[in-house]
Amino acid sequence: AIGNAKTTRNDNSSRFGKYIEIGFDNRYRIIGANMRTYLLEKSRVVFQADEERNYHIFYQLCASALLPEFKNLRLSSANDFLYTRQGRSPVIEGVDDAKELLTTRHAFTLLGINESYQIGLFQVLAAILHLGNVEIKDRDSDSSLIAVRMQCFFNQH
């Protein structure tokens, strides 16, 4: 859910990459290796092409917005957020995003990520969705401003 997204080729495409560094001795024998996993497409968070969707976790959170523990996240439909609507493909046929969030949370628990830490992670992810709706406008060559409708939202909360 965190690293997979829908692309035009695959409904559950991994957006992770792996870098492997292999160490050799002076006789060209392998003496060790390091592997790093990294997020391949950081740009996917802010842009999706037509018929693609962002990382599954964003849609899972929106589909679960009515859960009592998510009330403070102020989430709603995926169609209400720029980062989840711009690819115009918020739904994957046969996938229940609310049910998938339960699976994601269960996987977190199995990995030893407690409820409190999970909620903290969901708060960060919800903040990313909300920040995507912030419209920043140029004021002059040195400054900018946030559109009035967003200032009202921030003042109320």
Side-chain angles (χ1 to χ4, degrees), residues 123-141:
Q123 288 171 337
V124 170
L125 292 167
I128 291 168
L129 285 177
H130 288 293
L131 284 172
N133 284 354
V134 173
E135 185 180 349
I136 300 173
K137 296 183 178 243
D138 289 338
R139 184 186 324 206
D140 54 44
S141 63

Side-chain angles (χ1 to χ4, degrees), residues 2 7 9 13 25 34 50 84 95 114 138-139 156:
I2 301 282
T7 66
R9 294 177 157 200
S13 181
D25 66 12
N34 290 314
D50 283 346
T84 48
V95 173
N114 67 35
D138 289 338
R139 184 186 324 206
Q156 290 175 357

Side-chain angles (χ1 to χ4, degrees), residues 8-71:
T8 55
R9 294 177 157 200
N10 184 337
D11 286 347
N12 197 32
S13 181
S14 174
R15 306 288 82 207
F16 284 108
K18 296 212 183 291
Y19 173 76
I20 301 172
E21 184 178 282
I22 302 173
F24 297 90
D25 66 12
N26 58 0
R27 293 176 55 191
Y28 305 104
R29 291 181 298 190
I30 295 174
I31 57 173
N34 290 314
M35 184 179 350
R36 298 188 203 294
T37 301
Y38 58 93
L39 192 56
L40 190 59
E41 286 189 29
K42 293 178 184 134
S43 63
R44 178 166 297 278
V45 172
V46 297
F47 175 77
Q48 299 85 53
D50 283 346
E51 302 305 314
E52 294 191 342
R53 80 178 203 165
N54 210 323
Y55 293 103
H56 299 318
I57 191 67
F58 292 121
Y59 302 89
Q60 291 176 10
L61 288 171
C62 288
S64 304
L66 297 178
L67 290 175
E69 63 268 31
F70 289 173
K71 181 181 179 196

Side-chain angles (χ1 to χ4, degrees), residues 62-148:
C62 288
S64 304
L66 297 178
L67 290 175
E69 63 268 31
F70 289 173
K71 181 181 179 196
N72 291 336
L73 301 181
R74 301 193 191 291
L75 292 171
S76 55
S77 166
N79 288 319
D80 294 334
F81 296 97
L82 175 63
Y83 290 167
T84 48
R85 73 170 177 258
Q86 65 182 323
R88 294 193 294 267
S89 189
V91 175
I92 296 175
E93 190 174 326
V95 173
D96 179 341
D97 284 315
K99 186 176 177 185
E100 290 296 317
L101 184 67
L102 295 174
T103 302
T104 299
R105 292 177 80 179
H106 181 68
F108 281 158
T109 301
L110 290 175
L111 291 169
I113 301 170
N114 67 35
E115 177 79 15
S116 173
Y117 194 85
Q118 289 179 38
I119 295 299
L121 176 61
F122 298 147
Q123 288 171 337
V124 170
L125 292 167
I128 291 168
L129 285 177
H130 288 293
L131 284 172
N133 284 354
V134 173
E135 185 180 349
I136 300 173
K137 296 183 178 243
D138 289 338
R139 184 186 324 206
D140 54 44
S141 63
D142 296 340
S143 63
S144 49
L145 54 91
I146 295 175
V148 174

